[in-house]
C-alpha cells in the first residue's frame, strides 16, 4: 500500500531542558540517527534537540521545513514530497507530542490523504501526564486549549466548563500562556464553586515539577507561583 514511499515519524520532544534520554525511549534516538529531513516548529530548538540526541549528526546535512503560525498552509503538501520519493521525514513539536495542541496535525492530515504511513513514537504528553496524576476522571475528559482573554468571556467559559464537568462527570483540561498562569489560577478561584477541584500540573518531568489537586477553597489558602512555568490546569465538579 505504501510501497516505495517514506514514512512520517511523529517524534516527541522533551517538555523542558532536561536530558532527552531521561524521558524518551531509545527508539526515538534510533529514528533521529537515521533521519535527515524534518518538519519543525522552531529550527533553532529543533537543531539543539537533534544535537543532544545525536551529537555526531552533521547539522549541514539536515533539511528542515518550518511549521508554525506563520507558515503558509498551501506549502505543506510540498513538505511531504521527500516521503513520496522514498525518504523518511520526522515531525518535531516544540515540546511534547506532535499533533496534540500543535500545528503538526495539519501535516499528519495531509500525509493520510497522500497514503503516507504515519508512525507515532512514544514520548511525554503534558496533557495526559497531568490527567494521569490529577486523580480526576480518566474515562471522560476534554482538552479545551486556551480560555478567552477577555475577562467577562473567560468567566463565562469557566462557568460553562464547570457545568459540563458536573453534568457529564467529565474533567476539563486547558492551558494558558505561561506568563498569565498566576492570573488564570486567581480567576479560577474567584469564579468556580468552593468545592470544585482544580489540578495544577506544572513543570512536568522537570526537577521543579509540581502537581497538586485540591478544592478551590484550599487553593485560596495556598499561594503557588506559576509565572512562566509550563502548566496544565484541570477542573472537575462532582
Amino acid at each position: 500500500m505504501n510501497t516505495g514511499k517514506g514514512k512520517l515519524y511523529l517524534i516527541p520532544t522533551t517538555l523542558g531542558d532536561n536530558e532527552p534520554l531521561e524521558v524518551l525511549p531509545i527508539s526515538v534516538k534510533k529514528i533521529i540517527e537515521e533521519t535527515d529531513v524534518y518538519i519543525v516548529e522552531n529550527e533553532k530548538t529543533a537543531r539543539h534537540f537533534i544535537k543532544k540526541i545525536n551529537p555526531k549528526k552533521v547539522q549541514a546535512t539536515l533539511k528542515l521545513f518550518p511549521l508554525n503560525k506563520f507558515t503558509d498552509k498551501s506549502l505543506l503538501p510540498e513538505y511531504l514530497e521527500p516521503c513520496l520519493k522514498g525518504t523518511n521525514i520526522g515531525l518535531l513539536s516544540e515540546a511534547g507530542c506532535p499533533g496534540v495542541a500543535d500545528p503538526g496535525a495539519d501535516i499528519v492530515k495531509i500525509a493520510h490523504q497522500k497514503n503516507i504511513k504515519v508512525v507515532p513514537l512514544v514520548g511525554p504528553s503534558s496533557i495526559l501526564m497531568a490527567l494521569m496524576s490529577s486523580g480526576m476522571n480518566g474515562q471522560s475528559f476534554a482538552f479545551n486549549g486556551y480560555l478567552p482573554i477577555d475577562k467577562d468571556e473567560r468567566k463565562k467559559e469557566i462557568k460553562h466548563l464547570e457545568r459540563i464537568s458536573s453534568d457529564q462527570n467529565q474533567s476539563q483540561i486547558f492551558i494558558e500562556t505561561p506568563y498569565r498562569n498566576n492570573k488564570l489560577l486567581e480567576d479560577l478561584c474567584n469564579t468556580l464553586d468552593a468545592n470544585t477541584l482544580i489540578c495544577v500540573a506544572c513543570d512536568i518531568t522537570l526537577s521543579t515539577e509540581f502537581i497538586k489537586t485540591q478544592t478551590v477553597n484550599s487553593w485560596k489558602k495556598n499561594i503557588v507561583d506559576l509565572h512562566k512555568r509550563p502548566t496544565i490546569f484541570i477542573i472537575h465538579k462532582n
Side-chain angles (χ1 to χ4, degrees):
M1 191 174 182
N2 291 285
T3 303
K5 295 180 181 178
K7 299 174 183 178
L8 177 65
Y9 287 102
L10 311 188
I11 303 174
T13 59
T14 56
L15 298 175
D17 194 23
N18 45 2
E19 287 301 316
L21 295 182
E22 289 181 3
V23 293
L24 297 171
I26 198 68
S27 57
V28 170
K29 182 176 185 292
K30 182 175 182 292
I31 294 301
I32 286 179
E33 287 175 346
E34 298 173 351
T35 304
D36 289 327
V37 182
Y38 295 89
I39 299 168
V40 305
E41 199 168 349
N42 181 289
E43 181 173 342
K44 182 178 179 180
T45 54
R47 287 185 180 277
H48 177 69
F49 173 73
I50 292 169
K51 187 172 183 178
K52 287 191 78 171
I53 290 278
N54 183 12
K56 295 181 180 180
K57 183 175 281 289
V58 180
Q59 292 281 319
T61 65
L62 299 178
K63 185 172 181 59
L64 274 57
F65 297 101
L67 176 57
N68 50 54
K69 62 182 180 181
F70 303 109
T71 304
D72 182 351
K73 288 193 175 183
S74 68
L75 298 175
L76 299 188
E78 296 179 19
Y79 288 4
L80 291 171
E81 284 298 315
C83 267
L84 299 179
K85 297 176 182 178
T87 299
N88 294 334
I89 294 179
L91 176 63
L92 286 173
S93 175
E94 187 70 359
C97 297
V100 181
D102 173 80
D106 293 329
I107 279 289
V108 176
K109 181 179 180 180
I110 296 170
H112 284 297
Q113 293 169 351
K114 292 182 176 294
N115 198 29
I116 294 168
K117 184 174 178 61
V118 176
V119 183
L121 301 182
V122 175
S125 165
S126 58
I127 297 168
L128 287 179
M129 294 178 80
L131 181 64
M132 287 164 58
S133 54
S134 70
M136 296 183 181
N137 193 349
Q139 299 289 338
S140 180
F141 55 89
F143 176 65
N144 300 279
Y146 293 90
L147 298 182
I149 295 177
D150 179 81
K151 183 178 180 180
D152 292 334
E153 290 183 8
R154 171 176 289 210
K155 182 177 180 179
K156 183 179 178 181
E157 181 65 11
I158 289 171
K159 293 302 293 183
H160 172 65
L161 294 176
E162 185 181 42
R163 284 194 299 272
I164 293 176
S165 178
S166 178
D167 294 343
Q168 301 183 21
N169 186 29
Q170 185 180 73
S171 298
Q172 302 297 318
I173 309 170
F174 42 91
I175 54 179
E176 180 54 285
T177 303
Y179 68 84
R180 295 198 194 110
N181 282 337
N182 287 337
K183 184 64 171 66
L184 176 54
L185 183 56
E186 179 184 332
D187 289 345
L188 292 174
C189 289
N190 291 335
T191 305
L192 296 168
D193 291 348
N195 291 321
T196 294
L197 291 171
I198 302 174
C199 174
V200 171
C202 176
D203 291 344
I204 293 174
T205 73
L206 303 180
S207 60
T208 53
E209 181 178 85
F210 172 85
I211 302 173
K212 183 74 175 177
T213 297
Q214 56 188 1
T215 64
V216 167
N217 260 351
S218 295
W219 277 113
K220 286 181 177 180
K221 299 172 185 176
N222 295 276
I223 299 174
V224 57
D225 186 10
L226 305 172
H227 187 57
K228 291 187 176 181
R229 300 169 68 186
T231 304
I232 302 287
F233 297 89
I234 313 176
I235 65 170
H236 195 106
K237 182 178 181 182
N238 295 318

